[in-house]
Amino acid sequence: MNPLSGRVPEAISRIPRDGTAAAASRKLMTDRFEMSMMGEMKFFLGFEIKQLREGTFINQAKYLQDMLKRFKMTELKGVATPMVTKCHLALDPNGKEVDQKLRRHCRRVHTGTAVVPALPASAGRHAAVGVGYVVDPQGGAGGSHRSSSGKRAIPNDFEAEILPMKKSSRRERNSAPAEPRANLIRRLRGMPIGKWPDNEYARLRQTNIYTSPKATNCSALFWSKYQEKTFDDLYANATYKVAPMHHINFAHMDKHANYFAEARDICEQFGLLPLMKFHHPYCVDVIGQFFATVYVDNDDAKTMTWMTEGRMLHGTWDQFAACLGYPVLTGNEDGYFRAHNTPKPVEKALLADLYLEGEVVYGSQKFLRPVYDILLRIYREVLNPKVGCVDQIYGYLGNLLLLSHQHRDTGMQLDVMDFLWNEFWACIIARKAPVFAPYFMFFICSRWDSAGYGILTDEVNLLPHKAKDLRVKTHDNPPRLPNDEESAQEDSDMEYAPPADNGWVARIEAKLAKMFCLKTDINRRQYQAHRERKMDRRNTKLIMRKLDIPVESGSEEVITPEEEWLSKHGNVTEFEQLGLPGPSRRRRPPSDDVESPSLKKMKRRRTMKRRRMSELSWDVVASLLFSFLVS
């Protein structure tokens, strides 16, 4: 074959199509082009080539494995490939011509045979193929062809896959059809539960998976693989496995009755005393399993189904309320109020009546009135446990405090079970730390006992539900806000007064004078430090001479007068007197030459002299101390 013309010689076209074709081809190539036969080609430019009876297969498995090792991706978690594995490839005589140059843009690649478009009709039976193509030696569209894995291939209708990549515009992305449900589910399988979209996770928790058979590819503690994944991703390794809760120590409140009396009366009116006294140990693993597996039916009883230690349990919200000693209300009863009566939590500015008068930040625990500060701490322990920042009022806790202020002394009670239900369901949907661990543990133990499985608390590790001694605080008053007269006085003080004539000149002169005085003071202090250093050296040498220690005289014998020293070291130029930057002094650029031997010798002498002076100073001190002791 002539590489310049690209034409196939006639001799090659005359090669017979029998068993001697390979031998004739080898002889022709070696004679005409002076080539040597090196055997069957298996690798070429990163492609692995396999010539089998079923066809010639080309893939990049080894190349991809080397790339994964090079970029250290072999140990990463794999995801399901979006490629269709059951694919069927064959020629399409009626198909369109395909530009061979566009094959490198094929987007679907597989470590085996890739999903590729059909070959063009003009390619023939021995057409050259690119990445991922399967050469069909039999030809035709009706042949039975299989991939390298032995599975049938998909129909040849993926011609658009080899078109070059085109960046879509925002309008095209917005108008694009929604992702098919099957593709979305396949994509979510390889994604942690914590990163799922909120609507998809809510859809998962609202789907009754207990209608299908129990999965065999997951732990025996769970009904499905999704439950196990939810437990592992959200609850097993979380920083806070449950929201901390405590029961209130009433003996401590009775001890400080004057401080807690008003808040205790409000809690008694709202019917919260039984909940404040309730305590039960709990197991974080059992609570995590409950929150990861619970399904709530849409019936009026709110039937719950969940897994505990590998067993399926059932219970209603009425049974849970009976464990706590509260009724489940419909919302039409008189004498009760609900905190979740608004679509969103109230604005924090509406909590202004709950704070002391002064400069405060609404929504913060600081500067709350004492009674509402105590109620806030009680609510966080028994009704609205949270993790994280506890200095702020979040969510419907603000509604509860506001309604507590509005309904105190009215005789109305709080619908406790409605509040617990909304917080419980919001915790599940929002993937928060499990709440009400002691309450649900008592409920789970009761259902476990009713199912005849024995005593659950004997089989798990329990944590105590500790008591809480509410701290007796000293409530300081916030900073006082100025009244109207003080505000008007401040505004009048801040009014702009026009400067006198040449006011800006006087200000500049004052600043320049201040700068000049500062410069002069600094120079004077530098001279005093210089003079003190010389006097110290002079006194040291006098003492050394008294002790017959040889010492050389230096510049300390002569102290430069102040005016002369300031003229050399601390002179103030005309520019500095005016407060302007003076002309920059040109520094000699550093030389790249090596230091001369004489300079090195001088530096060495200076270093040795400093060291000797320090040693002599210690000798002088020791001698003086010795003479003092002897005398």
Side-chain angles (χ1 to χ4, degrees):
M1 180 177 179
N2 191 344
L4 298 179
S5 62
R7 299 176 181 176
V8 180
E10 296 180 0
I12 296 180
S13 62
R14 294 196 299 270
I15 294 177
R17 306 294 181 181
D18 52 12
T20 61
S25 175
R26 286 197 298 268
K27 185 176 184 306
L28 178 61
M29 299 296 288
T30 54
D31 293 345
R32 180 155 186 175
F33 298 103
E34 298 181 358
M35 299 174 62
S36 59
M37 190 64 181
M38 301 181 65
E40 182 181 357
M41 182 174 62
K42 295 184 178 180
F43 289 94
F44 179 72
L45 297 178
F47 296 95
E48 183 180 359
I49 303 173
K50 292 184 180 180
Q51 300 183 22
L52 306 175
R53 291 184 178 182
E54 292 81 3
T56 302
F57 298 89
I58 301 176
N59 62 62
Q60 288 183 285
K62 185 177 183 304
Y63 174 76
L64 293 177
Q65 291 294 335
D66 294 341
M67 293 296 292
L68 293 176
K69 291 180 181 180
R70 177 182 176 185
F71 295 100
K72 301 178 181 180
M73 299 178 64
T74 54
E75 299 179 357
L76 299 180
K77 184 178 180 181
V79 297
T81 174
M83 196 194 81
V84 181
T85 56
K86 299 180 180 181
C87 53
H88 172 62
L89 300 179
L91 287 177
D92 185 6
N94 301 324
K96 298 180 181 180
E97 294 285 344
V98 178
D99 188 358
Q100 305 295 329
K101 297 180 181 179
L102 298 179
R103 284 177 180 159
R104 63 178 178 271
H105 297 288
C106 182
R107 297 197 298 270
R108 294 189 180 185
V109 182
H110 193 264
T111 56
T113 304
V115 180
V116 294
L119 296 175
S122 60
R125 291 187 298 174
H126 300 280
V129 294
V131 179
Y133 282 94
V134 179
V135 178
D136 177 19
Q138 302 299 331
S144 176
H145 314 296
R146 295 179 179 269
S147 63
S148 58
S149 60
K151 298 180 181 180
R152 297 190 63 83
I154 61 175
N156 46 7
D157 55 354
F158 292 91
E159 193 168 315
E161 291 296 332
I162 61 172
L163 295 179
M165 297 291 291
K166 178 184 177 182
K167 186 176 181 181
S168 59
S169 62
R170 181 179 299 179
R171 178 177 299 178
E172 293 176 351
R173 290 194 298 268
N174 295 336
S175 60
E179 183 179 8
R181 186 68 188 168
N183 296 348
L184 178 61
I185 294 176
R186 191 182 302 112
R187 181 167 58 87
L188 293 178
R189 285 176 182 172
M191 186 185 302
I193 294 291
K195 296 183 179 180
W196 277 30
D198 295 339
N199 60 336
E200 294 300 329
Y201 182 74
R203 183 195 296 266
L204 173 66
R205 297 312 303 263
Q206 295 174 2
T207 302
N208 187 5
I209 60 176
Y210 294 102
T211 56
S212 57
K214 186 177 181 180
T216 58
N217 60 344
C218 64
S219 173
L221 299 176
F222 303 96
W223 190 265
S224 69
K225 187 68 176 178
Y226 281 110
Q227 290 182 349
E228 181 181 13
K229 189 175 182 180
T230 302
F231 177 78
D232 293 339
D233 293 349
L234 298 183
Y235 304 114
N237 300 319
T239 304
Y240 296 96
K241 294 188 177 182
V242 295
M245 294 183 64
H246 303 83
H247 68 274
I248 306 302
N249 186 1
F250 278 85
H252 176 75
M253 296 183 70
D254 295 338
K255 184 179 179 180
H256 303 277
N258 295 332
Y259 181 75
F260 295 107
E262 187 177 2
R264 180 172 179 172
D265 293 341
I266 295 176
C267 292
E268 185 176 3
Q269 174 194 330
F270 293 163
L272 298 179
L273 294 186
L275 203 64
M276 295 167 61
K277 297 178 181 179
F278 180 92
H279 62 278
H280 190 275
Y282 59 91
C283 175
V284 293
D285 293 333
V286 172
I287 297 300
Q289 293 176 17
F290 173 78
F291 274 80
T293 61
V294 65
Y295 167 74
V296 183
D297 203 348
N298 293 327
D299 55 356
D300 296 336
K302 297 179 182 178
T303 304
M304 296 179 287
T305 306
W306 69 93
M307 299 291 294
T308 297
E309 296 298 309
R311 302 179 184 272
M312 182 191 300
L313 298 178
H314 305 275
T316 63
W317 191 252
D318 293 336
Q319 294 171 344
F320 174 68
C323 293
L324 300 179
Y326 287 93
V328 177
L329 306 176
T330 61
N332 299 324
E333 294 82 358
D334 296 333
Y336 290 90
F337 66 91
R338 292 184 172 183
H340 295 78
N341 55 354
T342 57
K344 294 182 179 181
V346 297
E347 297 291 337
K348 295 182 179 180
L350 299 177
L351 306 177
D353 296 337
L354 280 63
Y355 288 87
L356 298 171
E357 294 184 0
E359 187 176 353
V360 299
V361 178
Y362 300 134
S364 174
Q365 184 179 0
K366 193 174 182 180
F367 299 129
L368 276 172
R369 296 183 184 275
V371 60
Y372 299 115
D373 181 85
I374 299 172
L375 288 177
L376 175 62
R377 288 182 280 164
I378 294 176
Y379 292 161
R380 281 178 175 159
E381 297 296 340
V382 300
L383 281 176
N384 193 266
K386 298 292 182 183
V387 297
C389 181
V390 296
D391 295 334
Q392 300 293 324
I393 301 174
Y394 293 112
Y396 284 90
L397 184 59
N399 293 40
L400 183 58
L401 286 173
L402 181 61
L403 293 175
S404 300
H405 171 70
Q406 295 175 353
H407 294 292
R408 59 178 299 184
D409 300 330
T410 61
M412 298 186 66
Q413 297 185 15
L414 172 67
D415 190 348
V416 176
M417 297 312 301
D418 178 76
F419 191 92
L420 296 181
W421 163 256
N422 285 278
E423 293 297 322
F424 161 67
W425 186 245
C427 175
I428 292 179
I429 297 301
R431 291 167 279 193
K432 298 180 180 179
V435 294
F436 312 132
Y439 307 159
F440 282 111
M441 189 67 191
F442 183 71
F443 173 59
I444 294 171
C445 290
S446 65
R447 302 314 304 163
W448 181 276
D449 187 19
S450 300
Y453 297 139
I455 301 176
L456 179 61
T457 54
D458 296 340
E459 303 178 11
V460 295
N461 297 324
L462 298 176
L463 295 178
H465 185 197
K466 299 180 180 180
K468 181 75 171 183
D469 294 340
L470 297 178
R471 185 164 59 94
V472 179
K473 292 184 177 181
T474 301
H475 300 273
D476 299 329
N477 293 323
R480 187 175 59 87
L481 292 174
N483 52 31
D484 297 339
E485 296 181 358
E486 294 175 348
S487 301
Q489 182 64 27
E490 292 180 0
D491 295 341
S492 63
D493 294 341
M494 297 177 59
E495 290 181 356
Y496 173 75
D501 296 339
N502 299 330
W504 62 275
V505 177
R507 288 195 297 271
I508 292 179
E509 289 179 352
K511 290 184 178 180
L512 292 178
K514 186 177 181 180
M515 292 174 59
F516 178 76
C517 295
L518 179 61
K519 179 73 174 179
T520 305
D521 183 68
I522 292 174
N523 292 336
R524 186 176 296 107
R525 291 176 181 272
Q526 290 177 348
Y527 174 75
Q528 291 176 0
H530 165 73
R531 187 173 180 277
E532 291 176 358
R533 285 196 300 269
K534 282 202 171 187
M535 292 296 294
D536 292 340
R537 288 200 297 269
R538 180 189 295 180
N539 296 334
T540 303
K541 289 187 177 182
L542 287 176
I543 296 173
M544 294 171 64
R545 291 191 181 98
K546 290 289 184 180
L547 298 174
D548 298 332
I549 299 175
V551 61
E552 298 179 357
S553 300
S555 61
E556 67 278 351
E557 301 296 336
V558 180
I559 298 179
T560 310
E562 182 177 359
E563 295 181 359
E564 183 180 351
W565 189 89
L566 291 175
S567 63
K568 293 181 179 180
H569 301 86
N571 57 331
V572 181
T573 62
E574 296 178 357
F575 293 95
E576 293 177 344
Q577 292 179 5
L578 296 176
L580 301 175
S584 59
R585 299 179 181 178
R586 296 184 178 179
R587 296 183 179 179
R588 185 176 180 180
S591 176
D592 297 334
D593 301 336
V594 182
E595 295 181 352
S596 61
S598 59
L599 182 59
K600 290 183 178 179
K601 189 175 181 181
M602 184 177 64
K603 289 184 176 180
R604 196 180 302 111
R605 284 181 180 177
R606 191 177 301 166
T607 304
M608 294 300 295
K609 185 177 180 181
R610 293 198 192 99
R611 190 177 303 169
R612 194 181 302 114
M613 288 293 294
S614 62
E615 293 175 357
L616 290 174
S617 300
W618 283 107
D619 293 340
V620 171
V621 173
S623 301
L624 291 175
L625 181 61
F626 178 77
S627 60
F628 174 76
L629 293 176
V630 171
S631 60

